[in-house]
Amino acid sequence: MTCVSPHIPDRRQPGAMKLQWFEPSDGARVRALAWTCDCLAMVYELCQAGGQGFIRRTLQNEDAPEIRETHRWPIAQARDIWAALLTGMAR
Ligand SMILES: [Zn+2]
């Protein structure tokens, strides 16, 4: 099987930013801008809602997926944090 989407590194880098994860807030329409490979149990998505961005992670449980979201940031900052997540500099 060939993976097209990126994978999150197994380990955090030393000094990586620690993200806080919250219950998802519904409301505004959410658009996924980027996502990690779904061959792993935990899938991360860079999401946009209105002018803001955030990261959503979904643990693909058999019965019910467990969804968590970060704070919302200006979209440029959310993209930076997304890039950090993909390189193990944030988790
Ligand atoms: Zn994969």
Side-chain angles (χ1 to χ4, degrees), residues 3 7 37 39:
C3 294
H7 295 161
C37 187
C39 75

Side-chain angles (χ1 to χ4, degrees), residues 4-83:
V4 178
S5 299
H7 295 161
I8 297 287
D10 284 341
R11 292 161 183 250
R12 294 197 300 149
Q13 299 286 338
M17 181 190 335
K18 186 146 177 28
L19 299 176
Q20 288 182 281
W21 299 95
F22 305 93
E23 299 272 337
S25 60
D26 40 29
R29 274 180 82 83
V30 170
R31 191 159 70 98
L33 303 176
W35 45 87
T36 61
C37 187
D38 66 1
C39 75
L40 300 177
M42 187 77 88
V43 175
Y44 293 80
E45 295 170 289
L46 173 61
C47 296
Q48 181 174 3
Q52 293 185 301
F54 61 96
I55 295 166
R56 172 186 286 170
R57 74 175 187 198
T58 303
L59 180 60
Q60 306 183 86
N61 287 326
E62 299 266 312
D63 40 349
E66 186 186 304
I67 300 172
R68 292 289 181 273
E69 296 176 353
T70 62
H71 285 295
R72 297 185 176 206
W73 301 288
I75 191 70
Q77 190 180 351
R79 285 185 181 280
D80 286 347
I81 293 167
W82 176 252

